[in-house]
Amino acid sequence: MEHIRTTKVEQVKLLDRFATNNKSLTGTLYLTATHLLFIDSLQKETWILHHHIASVEKLALTTSGCPLVIQCKNFRIVHFIVPRERDCHDIYNSLLQLSKQAKYEDLYAFSYNPKQNDSERLQGWQLIDLAEEYKRMGVPNSHWELSDANQEYKICETYPRELYVPWTAKKTVIVGSSKFRSKGRFPVLSYYHQDKKAAICRCSQPLSGFSARCMEDERLLEAISKANPVNCYMYVVDTRPKHRIQSWWATQKDIGRIIVRTSSKIRNDEKIRESNEKKRLNAMANRAAGKGYENEDNYSSIRFQFVGIENIHVMRSSLQKLLEVNGTKGLSVNDFYSGLESSGWLRHIKAVMDAAIFLARAIMVENASVLVHCSDGWDRTSQVCSLGSLLLDSYYRTIRGFMVLIEKDWISFGHKFSERCGHLDGDPKEVSPVFTQFLECVWHLTEQFPQAFEFNEAFLLQIHEHIHSCQFGNFLGNCQKEREELKLKEKTYSLWPFLLEDQKKYLNPLYSSKSHRFIVLEPNTVSFNFKFWRNMYHQFDQTLHPRQSVFNIIMNMNEQNKQLEKDIKDLESKIKQRKNKQTDDILTKELLHSVHPESPTLKTSLCFKEQTRLPVNDSLRTIEGSSPADNRYSEYAEEFSKSEPAVVSLEYGVARMTC
Amino acid sequence: MEFAELIKTPRVDNVVLHRPFYPAVEGTLCLTGHHLILSSRQDNTEELWLLHSNIDAIDKRFVGSLGTIIIKCKDFRIIQLDIPGMEECLNIASSIETSQWRLSYVNKEFAVCPTYPPIVIVPESIDDETLRKVATFRHGGRFPVLSYYHQKSKRVIMRSGQPLTGTNGRRCKEDEKLINATLRAGSRGYIIDTRSLNVAQQARAKGGGFEQEAHYPQWRRIHKSIERYHILQESLIKLVEACNDQTHNMDRWLSKLEASNWLTHIKEILTAACLVAQCIDREEASVLIHGTEGTDSTLQVTSLAQIILEPRSRTIRGFEALIEREWLQAGHPFQQRCAQSAYCNTKQKWEAPVFLLFLDCVWQILRQFPCSFEFNENFLIMLFEHAYASQFGTFLGNSESERCKLKLQQKTMSLWSWVNQPSKLSKYTNPLFEANNLVIWPSVAPQSLLLWEGIFLRWNRSSKYLDEAYEEMVNIIEYNKELQAKVNILRRQLAELETEDEMQESP
């Protein structure tokens, strides 16, 4: 609280982000310990969690006041005008402090209290059990076993304690391999395909110099490929683009001017790009740099494959460009598409998707195991392994399965959530939308396979909200070891039970769990299948959304159908009772005329109650933004007529018209 | 039509009457075939009986849900009625306002305008002789006619060809009189020219032009540029080409999609239509729309404005009527425009996907308001197919007069009669439809506009999973109806049993 100098400012204006004519709402701005709150004159509340704030900007003073622009990690952008510069300055400074915490203990999760007792809290944390998950996959088995090598985080700090490796891999092999791999992240099991007996494994890049070999590493890879009794070769997938490994390491280590020269020469020459010569030189460059990828000569029975996903820095600036374009007022169609193109965002999404498809195909078609790595094996590797598993296994397309998938491939294997999401005031170069891209890939799959997922878009958006909210403990820290040290399970709550409790909101009404065709998804990745995810990047810009949601209607109707089915059962049993009673009555009457049957009034009243409970079909279909009261165009009529001579402005996102 | 048929609300209670020299009276307002009557229903208070024919003009105002109608009589008297309820007030006002429009048969032989139908709607006060004169001043003889009458605001959309002002600024008093006749005293209207100012100015050299402010002081002209002819055709060719090449990488696909400009055209057309709808509904001003000929972009705009404004045009019958009225009767040259499509290499002359763009715009609105249309995407696709190639006579020819000469009515079948068979309609009906009586304002931001996959990707990717999902949705809706019906039957049954029981108990 010591950062808050002003807690309340009145007469603040909230500008409409896309209106061309400075349309605004006036209201009061409140600053609390955790949120920024704006209540407009219609009593509509806008809550912004401090942790969601990505940047605060104070613009030059205008006649109406001091503009304050807040960009959020969930892509909300708010533009306030504070009447007095002093107030604006105070709020600006407070927000700067509050949005960037230095210590984990200052994050919201450590003060958030959803009124649960300790055992409920613990239960929540135990909801997702990865040991159970590996059991479900079918390990340990005759080929794979649980290794205790990392029990004390001694071999790899960023891996979980429990790791699955081929049973033939002895501890010395593991230790040796880990020394040969960046950050000690040696090859371990990520997903086991029970039918095909093939595995998805993950690791970081090898530290192979010009001639350096690591026998243990070679043996571990051999053990992995032998663990697949069906196929004798395995794929090693390097998720990085070929040319980048080379140039990056060359500049990083500043070794071998020759390498730099040859490589740049080659890069200039597009035609040779794919030639064998280039491949050879590339490999040389990488190995000379001391890090790189596996030499096919040294490893028996591996097939090496690049899939070309860009690094975190490229992804960060790509998203930045995308958001810049989309934030433009009066954006033209051409600017939108050329911005979309030059941002490269969809190209990156497609690259991730293609890599995942490669994995799924290797396992389904060739029955081959796959080892995936990038540089450190916690960004691109997590994307590709998790998405590949999602394509292969329909379990991960259920609500609970998706939580398990995130826990396994992202949280437990050390995707650096706190650094990538910028939870603490740290290096901005570590921030990158890697997980957001994963969610977007899943969204694209839900678009292509509308019946394959148990969850809906709202579920993805909600998860995205919480990777940044710091409200729950799941995504805090950068690896399991760090999380244990922070005692998150004792001090914070897990997100998953809260999502499960609200499950109804996240169900896909069209989900078809019965159909077996969906066991493997084979998405089409022709470019035209990739669309801009409006509901993510414009989730708070309601005016850009469809005004009626088919999805909500069907969801409500599904709910209603369940209720109706129940009502029918109730009614049928009541009718049956009645009928039985009537026959009984007749019998009774015939036998004992003097005895009165039970009064029926009680049941009648019950029945009426039910009648009122039945939802009316009409009420299900709301037309958002279309009633004259909340239609945002209504205010414009006035302005339209006022702007007499030259310019007429239209508000639905666009146009200026001149006579 | 009898006046009595126009009366939507014959009686309203709690109406307050204000008139000169009398205290305000609260009572019941009745509309009969000849009179407007207000009675307090007390013996000693005088009742108001006003002949409809005495009404000279009316004004209406709203404060919250309280409406006020001010009636100005031909004997100079002015009275005021406060009517609770917006809808009642609007109904009363619309009943007592007199019609200002008539049917004209001036084009019976297609002599005045070859591309107009034999019957057109024009202002009551304009006689056929004037129309003939105006026709000589408008491109292709297309004098301003009524396209749409908006009940709520009582404003109209008219359309025409460009005025033939030429380089020396020719004017036509009759033309000015005609379009001014659609305005009420003191009010102003908008002329939406679907060409840029530049293009409109250039048109003067060829004898065309636009309305000069000096001669049309009550009208404000706005230029909303919409592309025409070969530019649209090229756009279509580029788009189809881009969609057909599956090898494009992402950058190439996006740049090809952008370069086709298709969605830019969609945005331009929708924006112009929204502007017109805004003039009518929000500004309460009448609009005249024209481009050059008034047979292409003009029709896109007038018909889309109606989709936005008029709930009926979003029903199947209403939409069919809209196409019949605003496209076929209005003289869109289907034969010329749809002679070739995207694959033809021969030099294009008159081809342009004007109608397809219109359908695409409707689809965009349908996507944004998926429950407000009685028809579904398949209906639009079907219309696209038939406009380009059809076994029915409906889209043959370039105008009504051509269709008459070809005796299509005698020699061919109508698409509508085929489509309107219940067995065919089921495929085209939107299961989510729920009549929405509001004006629907679409978003035209680029983020809200989508590529119409049902048309452009139809043969390039399997829609199996999407189709299955659609079927599942239909099943859920059908099942819901079934369950509702069953619950109702069971309820009735139970209620009957209960009454039986009660009857037995209380003999």
Side-chain angles (χ1 to χ4, degrees):
Chain A
M1 288 302 279
E2 73 266 32
H3 302 305
I4 301 176
R5 252 172 268 157
T6 310
T7 55
K8 181 178 171 188
V9 187
E10 281 171 357
Q11 292 297 312
V12 172
K13 280 192 192 134
L14 174 63
L15 293 190
D16 187 311
R17 186 178 166 200
F18 289 106
T20 41
N21 49 4
N22 289 343
K23 196 167 87 102
S24 68
L25 288 166
T26 306
T28 309
L29 196 64
Y30 299 89
L31 202 55
T32 76
T34 54
H35 289 83
L36 180 73
L37 168 62
F38 178 78
I39 303 180
D40 66 28
S41 51
L42 304 165
Q43 299 304 308
K44 205 182 138 260
E45 297 174 3
T46 306
W47 290 82
I48 296 169
L49 190 62
H50 296 325
H51 296 317
H52 269 145
I53 297 176
S55 76
V56 201
E57 217 182 332
K58 216 171 74 162
L59 305 180
L61 196 67
T62 66
T63 46
S64 49
C66 193
L68 190 68
V69 181
I70 300 172
Q71 295 201 31
C72 299
K73 293 169 182 172
N74 53 10
F75 309 115
R76 186 203 283 273
I77 293 181
V78 284
H79 194 146
F80 291 117
I81 292 190
V82 185
R84 283 180 17 192
E85 198 188 0
R86 227 203 112 73
D87 291 333
C88 184
H89 191 74
D90 284 350
I91 288 181
Y92 171 75
N93 279 333
S94 302
L95 288 180
L96 275 189
Q97 303 283 343
L98 292 165
S99 63
K100 290 273 178 231
Q101 300 295 352
K103 299 199 307 281
Y104 280 114
E105 284 74 12
D106 292 332
L107 295 176
Y108 187 26
F110 289 88
S111 59
Y112 175 64
N113 181 3
K115 308 252 172 350
Q116 279 191 350
N117 61 36
D118 285 353
S119 79
E120 282 169 322
R121 181 205 300 250
L122 191 67
Q123 265 175 18
W125 279 112
Q126 286 165 345
L127 191 70
I128 305 294
D129 181 357
L130 289 185
E132 271 305 308
E133 169 56 12
Y134 285 102
K135 225 180 272 172
R136 188 194 68 83
M137 284 183 212
V139 289
N141 58 24
S142 54
H143 297 289
W144 294 87
E145 64 169 23
L146 177 64
S147 158
D148 59 359
N150 204 39
Q151 227 4 276
E152 305 300 323
Y153 296 117
K154 278 195 180 129
I155 295 180
C156 176
E157 291 200 330
T158 58
Y159 267 173
R161 290 176 192 270
E162 278 86 34
L163 292 167
Y164 291 81
V165 294
W167 75 271
T168 48
K170 296 285 162 283
K171 192 160 179 186
T172 48
V173 170
I174 291 171
V175 173
S177 167
S178 78
K179 285 185 179 141
F180 182 63
R181 295 270 169 185
S182 177
K183 308 282 194 308
R185 295 171 68 93
F186 62 96
V188 294
L189 182 78
S190 161
Y191 176 73
Y192 181 72
H193 197 286
Q194 216 165 358
D195 270 6
K196 300 280 176 184
K197 310 249 181 283
I200 298 177
C201 296
R202 54 186 294 168
C203 61
S204 62
Q205 66 181 348
L207 305 165
S208 51
F210 250 126
S211 58
R213 293 177 59 169
C214 172
M215 298 310 289
E216 289 91 345
D217 194 64
E218 287 165 27
R219 219 170 300 149
L220 183 54
L221 259 65
E222 199 186 341
I224 291 174
S225 70
K226 290 255 168 70
N228 178 350
V230 190
N231 200 321
C232 57
Y233 63 86
M234 71 184 270
Y235 280 103
V236 174
V237 173
D238 192 325
T239 55
R240 299 167 293 184
K242 243 184 306 186
H243 64 276
R244 277 205 188 265
I245 312 172
Q246 162 202 323
S247 57
W248 184 53
W249 282 111
T251 47
Q252 281 272 311
K253 297 267 166 176
D254 193 27
I255 36 134
R257 268 185 234 126
I258 314 157
I259 294 156
V260 179
R261 221 185 306 140
T262 42
S263 62
S264 62
K265 198 173 113 198
I266 288 155
R267 248 180 299 143
N268 290 339
D269 192 343
E270 284 292 319
K271 277 178 194 162
I272 316 176
R273 204 162 230 255
E274 297 305 318
S275 73
N276 286 334
E277 178 69 3
K278 168 94 192 291
K279 269 187 193 160
R280 204 175 57 79
L281 282 168
N282 271 343
M284 261 174 59
N286 291 312
R287 293 203 200 102
K291 289 189 181 183
Y293 57 90
E294 297 77 359
N295 185 343
E296 279 180 64
D297 301 339
N298 298 341
Y299 292 85
S300 58
S301 65
I302 70 160
R303 292 186 183 183
F304 197 83
Q305 179 75 33
F306 283 110
V307 292
I309 304 172
E310 298 285 355
N311 64 33
I312 58 165
H313 310 290
V314 175
M315 300 307 191
R316 179 181 56 246
S317 65
S318 169
L319 181 62
Q320 237 154 30
K321 270 185 219 153
L322 182 76
L323 296 178
E324 260 165 46
V325 171
N326 292 327
T328 317
K329 278 184 187 178
L331 182 66
S332 77
V333 174
N334 284 356
D335 287 346
F336 174 65
Y337 280 101
S338 64
L340 199 56
E341 182 200 334
S342 69
S343 77
W345 184 253
L346 288 179
R347 173 159 47 87
H348 302 316
I349 297 293
K350 177 172 152 55
V352 176
M353 194 81 101
D354 279 329
I357 291 170
F358 179 85
L359 247 64
R361 281 205 191 125
I363 287 181
M364 288 313 289
V365 181
E366 298 183 50
N367 231 323
S369 290
V370 190
L371 173 65
V372 184
H373 71 74
C374 44
S375 301
D376 290 319
W378 50 45
D379 293 311
R380 290 170 268 199
T381 302
S382 295
Q383 287 178 331
V384 175
C385 289
S386 56
L387 209 55
S389 319
L390 185 91
L391 293 177
L392 287 165
D393 193 331
S394 58
Y395 174 66
Y396 297 128
R397 297 172 226 141
T398 63
I399 287 187
R400 193 183 269 262
F402 194 65
M403 296 171 176
V404 168
L405 186 68
I406 293 172
E407 277 287 342
K408 176 169 71 76
D409 272 317
W410 291 87
I411 296 174
S412 90
F413 278 117
H415 173 68
K416 304 200 284 178
F417 273 105
S418 272
E419 287 196 359
R420 296 292 176 261
C421 301
H423 289 160
L424 297 178
D425 192 10
D427 183 358
K429 285 214 171 75
E430 285 291 331
V431 175
S432 186
V434 177
F435 188 75
T436 307
Q437 289 182 317
F438 163 68
L439 292 179
E440 180 162 339
C441 288
V442 177
W443 173 75
H444 274 106
L445 291 171
T446 64
E447 286 283 289
Q448 279 198 36
F449 303 96
Q451 295 190 269
F453 289 82
E454 190 192 13
F455 50 83
N456 59 24
E457 190 181 41
F459 186 60
L460 299 175
L461 294 176
Q462 190 65 11
I463 292 173
H464 184 261
E465 182 85 0
H466 284 297
I467 61 167
H468 294 110
S469 73
C470 304
Q471 186 175 350
F472 297 95
N474 307 60
F475 305 106
L476 300 188
N478 294 308
C479 60
Q480 291 297 56
K481 184 167 178 264
E482 201 176 351
R483 288 185 193 105
E484 283 174 22
E485 286 161 6
L486 287 169
K487 297 200 166 53
L488 291 179
K489 291 195 178 174
E490 290 139 63
K491 293 181 176 168
T492 71
Y493 294 86
S494 167
L495 167 67
W496 309 127
F498 294 90
L499 291 184
L500 275 183
E501 207 170 284
D502 266 354
Q503 203 174 139
K504 265 189 190 165
K505 276 199 261 176
Y506 307 123
L507 285 174
N508 170 11
L510 302 177
Y511 177 52
S512 136
S513 54
K514 297 140 228 155
S515 84
H516 284 281
R517 288 164 309 159
F518 286 122
I519 283 194
V520 179
L521 298 186
E522 293 176 76
N524 179 339
T525 58
V526 175
S527 300
F528 55 56
N529 285 299
F530 293 87
K531 285 168 285 186
F532 172 67
W533 191 8
R534 181 189 55 215
N535 290 0
M536 171 63 98
Y537 305 104
H538 287 296
Q539 53 182 306
F540 296 97
D541 304 311
Q542 285 301 323
T543 53
L544 302 183
H545 293 220
R547 306 308 157 93
Q548 296 164 328
S549 159
V550 174
F551 201 79
N552 287 342
I553 291 163
I554 298 300
M555 204 147 77
N556 289 337
M557 209 172 264
N558 241 351
E559 283 297 306
Q560 194 193 23
N561 284 356
K562 278 179 206 150
Q563 180 61 42
L564 285 169
E565 279 170 353
K566 231 181 92 206
D567 288 356
I568 287 173
K569 253 185 214 151
D570 287 359
L571 283 166
E572 275 171 348
S573 75
K574 263 182 212 153
I575 288 170
K576 206 171 157 197
Q577 269 176 24
R578 280 273 163 198
K579 278 187 179 157
N580 288 344
K581 197 155 67 78
Q582 275 184 3
T583 22
D584 287 353
D585 282 354
I586 294 162
L587 290 175
T588 335
K589 265 183 198 162
E590 279 169 4
L591 293 170
L592 294 154
H593 281 270
S594 56
V595 181
H596 271 280
E598 191 198 342
S599 157
T601 42
L602 230 179
K603 277 174 187 159
T604 319
S605 68
L606 264 177
C607 175
F608 277 126
K609 228 191 219 162
E610 218 162 55
Q611 231 153 15
T612 51
R613 205 174 59 211
L614 180 81
V616 187
N617 203 15
D618 297 12
S619 65
L620 288 175
R621 302 173 193 225
T622 47
I623 299 145
E624 290 165 30
S626 277
S627 76
D630 63 8
N631 192 318
R632 69 191 231 97
Y633 310 112
S634 55
E635 291 105 88
Y636 280 82
E638 220 179 295
E639 290 189 45
F640 196 140
S641 45
K642 261 189 272 168
S643 63
E644 234 335 306
V647 182
V648 179
S649 57
L650 250 188
E651 52 297 280
Y652 6 82
V654 273
R656 290 178 85 77
M657 275 141 286
T658 31
C659 296
Chain B
M1 188 157 55
E2 284 292 311
F3 178 79
E5 288 171 37
L6 288 170
I7 302 172
K8 276 189 258 169
T9 305
R11 219 185 85 174
V12 189
D13 289 324
N14 304 322
V15 173
V16 180
L17 165 71
H18 304 269
R19 51 186 166 162
F21 313 122
Y22 291 95
V25 181
E26 185 179 327
T28 303
L29 179 73
C30 291
L31 287 185
T32 71
H34 298 285
H35 285 89
L36 178 152
I37 306 162
L38 188 117
S39 165
S40 65
R41 296 188 166 178
Q42 282 159 9
D43 294 341
N44 47 0
T45 323
E46 202 193 332
E47 292 177 343
L48 171 81
W49 285 66
L50 187 71
L51 268 172
H52 294 311
S53 55
N54 193 9
I55 297 171
D56 201 30
I58 71 159
D59 276 332
K60 43 186 193 294
R61 266 189 248 136
F62 292 98
V63 180
S65 66
L66 181 76
T68 297
I69 299 179
I70 294 166
I71 301 176
K72 297 171 183 170
C73 304
K74 290 175 181 164
D75 61 5
F76 313 135
R77 178 168 45 154
I78 295 174
I79 61 170
Q80 179 185 334
L81 298 168
D82 295 339
I83 301 172
M86 170 112 67
E87 203 187 330
E88 284 81 2
C89 182
L90 282 172
N91 286 346
I92 296 286
S94 82
S95 301
I96 58 181
E97 262 179 332
T98 45
S99 170
Q100 296 169 329
W101 300 88
R102 69 178 182 98
L103 296 178
S104 165
Y105 299 87
V106 67
N107 199 38
K108 209 164 52 188
E109 311 293 334
F110 303 109
V112 179
C113 172
T115 58
Y116 269 174
I119 307 169
V120 289
I121 303 172
V122 294
E124 172 90 74
S125 58
I126 303 297
D127 61 21
D128 286 356
E129 203 39 53
T130 314
L131 293 177
R132 281 193 192 94
K133 280 185 188 148
V134 177
T136 61
F137 181 66
R138 291 276 172 179
H139 192 116
R142 294 175 70 91
F143 54 88
V145 293
L146 182 83
S147 158
Y148 172 65
Y149 181 78
H150 191 47
Q151 278 287 339
K152 196 175 125 208
S153 68
K154 304 270 166 284
R155 297 304 184 270
V156 298
I157 297 176
M158 287 176 299
R159 52 178 156 74
S160 68
Q162 65 176 342
L164 303 173
T165 57
T167 36
N168 43 15
R170 215 180 120 219
R171 69 187 280 196
C172 171
K173 292 268 186 200
E174 288 80 5
D175 188 75
E176 291 156 30
K177 188 177 152 203
L178 191 163
I179 74 163
N180 285 339
T182 65
L183 295 177
R184 289 186 312 149
S187 70
R188 298 184 57 173
Y190 289 88
I191 295 173
I192 311 287
D193 193 322
T194 61
R195 304 162 295 179
S196 67
L197 179 60
N198 221 348
V199 173
Q201 276 167 342
Q202 283 162 9
R204 286 190 298 199
K206 291 182 207 151
F210 51 86
E211 294 82 356
Q212 297 290 334
E213 285 86 350
H215 303 154
Y216 299 84
Q218 285 168 276
W219 296 82
R220 215 180 113 200
R221 204 179 64 248
I222 298 174
H223 291 274
K224 284 300 302 154
S225 166
I226 295 175
E227 290 297 350
R228 316 175 333 127
Y229 299 143
H230 67 278
I231 294 180
L232 298 181
Q233 188 68 11
E234 274 161 28
S235 170
L236 177 68
I237 291 169
K238 279 187 196 160
L239 178 67
V240 171
E241 206 178 272
C243 292
N244 282 354
D245 193 339
Q246 310 226 350
T247 62
H248 285 326
N249 66 26
M250 188 62 73
D251 289 1
R252 202 159 163 74
W253 156 249
L254 289 173
S255 83
K256 288 244 165 186
L257 180 61
E258 183 207 334
S260 80
N261 276 328
W262 185 262
L263 287 169
T264 302
H265 301 314
I266 296 286
K267 187 176 149 132
E268 277 169 359
I269 298 164
L270 274 174
T271 306
C274 286
L275 177 72
V276 170
Q278 204 176 6
C279 290
I280 299 281
D281 190 68
R282 299 280 179 236
E283 270 292 274
E284 304 210 332
S286 289
V287 186
L288 169 68
I289 303 166
H290 68 73
T292 307
E293 294 90 348
T295 54
D296 294 280
S297 54
T298 304
L299 305 182
Q300 289 173 330
V301 175
T302 57
S303 51
L304 282 168
Q306 292 179 52
I307 294 279
I308 294 166
L309 291 165
E310 176 58 52
R312 213 189 113 67
S313 67
R314 298 172 221 142
T315 63
I316 289 180
R317 294 302 172 105
F319 192 65
E320 290 170 358
L322 181 79
I323 287 172
E324 188 66 35
R325 215 172 52 235
E326 289 302 302
W327 290 87
L328 294 162
Q329 304 248 353
H332 176 66
F334 277 97
Q335 191 88 27
Q336 288 179 351
R337 298 288 179 264
C338 303
Q340 300 290 345
S341 180
Y343 294 139
C344 183
N345 286 324
T346 57
K347 196 164 180 293
Q348 315 278 323
K349 217 175 163 201
W350 300 110
E351 288 80 1
V354 176
F355 187 63
L356 176 58
L357 276 162
F358 159 71
L359 293 176
D360 196 334
C361 289
V362 176
W363 179 79
Q364 304 283 350
I365 307 177
L366 170 65
R367 281 295 297 242
Q368 295 186 27
F369 295 87
C371 307
S372 299
F373 289 80
E374 195 188 0
F375 49 87
N376 61 16
E377 179 179 0
N378 293 334
F379 191 62
L380 299 172
I381 297 174
M382 181 274 295
L383 288 172
F384 157 67
E385 290 170 345
H386 282 282
Y388 278 83
S390 176
Q391 63 271 45
F392 299 99
T394 304
F395 289 105
L396 294 182
N398 289 309
S399 64
E400 257 327 271
S401 67
E402 277 191 36
R403 280 185 278 273
C404 267
K405 272 179 219 144
L406 290 167
K407 295 207 167 54
L408 292 180
Q409 286 206 359
Q410 290 85 23
K411 293 181 177 168
T412 68
M413 295 289 289
S414 157
L415 172 66
W416 310 130
S417 63
W418 174 78
V419 125
N420 287 340
Q421 300 170 77
S423 61
K424 298 287 178 302
L425 269 186
S426 62
K427 191 182 159 200
Y428 302 125
T429 309
N430 177 5
L432 294 162
F433 177 58
E434 187 110 322
N436 169 9
N437 282 320
L438 302 169
V439 176
I440 53 174
W441 299 104
S443 161
V444 298
Q447 295 97 320
S448 307
L449 302 178
L450 302 166
L451 176 71
W452 189 3
E453 298 178 5
I455 287 275
F456 298 110
L457 300 182
R458 190 175 171 195
W459 312 109
N460 295 317
R461 57 123 177 79
S462 156
S463 61
K464 185 167 154 257
Y465 297 119
L466 302 180
D467 296 343
E468 282 172 3
Y470 182 82
E471 263 166 46
E472 174 64 19
M473 183 188 85
V474 175
N475 287 342
I476 291 172
I477 297 169
E478 291 296 317
Y479 185 50
N480 183 266
K481 280 186 199 149
E482 220 173 90
L483 289 175
Q484 299 240 13
K486 196 165 177 193
V487 163
N488 286 339
I489 291 170
L490 289 174
R491 283 233 164 87
R492 220 170 296 139
Q493 213 179 330
L494 186 64
E496 273 165 21
L497 286 173
E498 276 164 0
T499 19
E500 266 174 45
D501 276 8
E502 274 163 41
M503 299 238 304
Q504 281 181 358
E505 274 159 40
S506 48

